[in-house]
């Protein structure tokens, strides 16, 4: 059942990706804002209460609908519901569009356009970035986006689906990431200040929820890329003594495709305690800096990882059917 849901959601996401400002994502933003406005009183206990409601409420609703459809209507509709929820949780095409635009601009030699596209995408000042830095930041941000919008979602969805919890895992993971990032953005922009207790709780919860998926993504990059170099980069990063889920993903990816990364753009992507720290030079020592051709290499790495995950789910589903 989970394999069918994953396959259907991935195909639908490629054919009809959800754009920015779609009604579903707007509804989730409104829900998260409402929870913070109504329950955030500034104390740690209130921070956890608002987090549980903002993240757990939609996840529980998705689970109840899944069970109602499965037990009282049809399991086919329950599978369809899981696929639709997973479809709204995935975001492959939401970041690949920006990646493609910047890559095309760089291929045409229009570095100014690439800087402008990167600035519009990440809401940052990219006017003084050299070409190599543009490519490095695009690679780092895109890899982290692939992890958070695809591999992490699939990991949580698959584990909880096996336990009979349907699409609950996908909703929990995506909302945990969104709440941690959105509340901090709202507070920094002074749009709707959220208490420090709520922000810290959200960041802590997100770091815990991303601990296993980050390592699964790192292992996947090693399997489909240069295994020895990826594991060596993982080891070097671990020796820095600064645990970071994002930094681990970037370190493994830099070894898998043999390029030198700094990890500094991860702070712009999600400035939080769980965001990647800049990678020490010895993590990528001896590797070439990011070049235009590395963009195609990274795309190949991500797609091979997606195919590997789908095949693994297919084999697990077949084993359960035969067993």
């Amino acid at each position: 059942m989970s394999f069918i849901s994953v396959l259907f959601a991935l195909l639908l996401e490629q054919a009809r990706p959800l754009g920015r400002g779609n009604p579903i994502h707007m509804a989730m933003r409104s829900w998260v804002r409402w929870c913070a406005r109504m329950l955030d009183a500034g104390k740690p206990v209130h921070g956890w209460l608002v987090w549980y409601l903002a993240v757990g409420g939609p996840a529980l609703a998705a689970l109840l609908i899944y069970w109602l459809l499965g037990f009282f209507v049809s399991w086919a509709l329950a599978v369809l519901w899981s696929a639709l929820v997973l479809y709204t949780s995935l975001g492959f095409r939401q970041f690949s569009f920006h990646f493609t635009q910047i890559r095309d601009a760089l291929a045409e030699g229009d570095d100014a356009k690439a800087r402008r596209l990167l600035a519009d995408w990440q809401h940052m000042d990219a006017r003084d970035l050299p070409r190599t830095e543009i490519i490095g930041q695009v690679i780092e941000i895109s890899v982290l986006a692939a992890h958070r919008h695809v591999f992490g979602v699939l990991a949580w969805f698959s584990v909880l689906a096996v336990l009979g919890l349907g699409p609950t895992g996908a909703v929990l993971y995506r909302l945990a990431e969104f709440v941690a990032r959105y509340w901090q953005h709202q507070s920094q922009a002074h749009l709707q200040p959220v208490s420090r207790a709520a922000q810290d709780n959200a960041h802590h919860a997100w770091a815990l929820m991303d601990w296993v998926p980050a390592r699964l993504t790192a292992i996947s990059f090693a399997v489909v890329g240069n295994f020895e170099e990826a594991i060596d980069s993982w080891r070097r990063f671990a020796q820095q003594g600064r645990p970071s889920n994002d930094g681990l993903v970037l370190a493994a990816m830099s070894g898998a495709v043999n390029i030198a990364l700094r990890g500094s753009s991860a702070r712009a992507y999600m400035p939080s305690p769980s965001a990647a720290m800049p990678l020490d030079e010895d993590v990528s020592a001896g590797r070439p800096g990011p070049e235009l051709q590395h963009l195609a290499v990274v795309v190949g790495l991500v797609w091979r990882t997606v195919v590997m995950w789908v095949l693994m789910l297919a084999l697990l589903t077949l084993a359960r059917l035969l067993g």
Side-chain angles (χ1 to χ4, degrees), residues 49-215:
L49 179 62
V50 67
W51 187 89
Y52 285 132
L53 182 62
V55 176
L60 181 60
L63 176 61
L64 291 177
I65 294 174
Y66 174 78
W67 279 349
L68 289 173
L69 290 174
F71 287 111
F72 298 106
V73 183
S74 168
W75 277 109
L77 287 179
V79 172
L80 179 60
W81 169 251
S82 289
L84 291 176
V85 173
L86 183 58
Y87 163 66
T88 61
S89 302
L90 292 170
F92 207 116
R93 294 286 296 276
Q94 294 179 26
F95 67 87
S96 63
F97 171 76
H98 301 282
F99 177 93
T100 303
Q101 281 192 319
I102 297 174
R103 182 194 60 190
D104 292 344
L106 290 170
E108 296 170 358
D110 194 345
D111 292 1
K113 180 179 179 181
R115 294 187 188 94
R116 185 173 66 255
L117 291 171
L118 178 61
D120 292 342
W121 181 18
Q122 292 299 308
H123 307 289
M124 58 182 288
D125 185 4
R127 289 174 295 182
D128 298 326
L129 288 181
R131 182 182 179 88
T132 301
E133 186 70 15
I134 296 173
I135 297 173
Q137 294 218 12
V138 169
I139 290 175
E140 293 175 11
I141 294 169
S142 298
V143 168
L144 290 179
H147 164 64
R148 296 176 184 179
H149 291 266
V150 182
F151 305 128
V153 175
L154 291 179
W156 269 86
F157 172 83
S158 301
V159 171
L160 294 193
V162 170
L163 299 177
L165 300 180
T168 310
V171 180
L172 284 174
Y173 183 84
R174 283 300 300 127
L175 277 179
E177 188 273 340
F178 173 73
V179 165
R181 177 165 45 88
Y182 186 69
W183 280 350
Q184 180 160 319
H185 167 72
Q186 291 288 93
S187 296
Q188 290 178 341
H190 304 290
L191 298 175
Q192 181 187 341
V194 179
S195 69
R196 174 52 57 184
Q199 293 183 55
D200 290 344
N201 291 346
H203 291 319
H204 180 66
W206 163 242
L208 290 176
M209 292 192 67
D210 195 42
W211 195 90
V212 172
R215 281 144 185 82

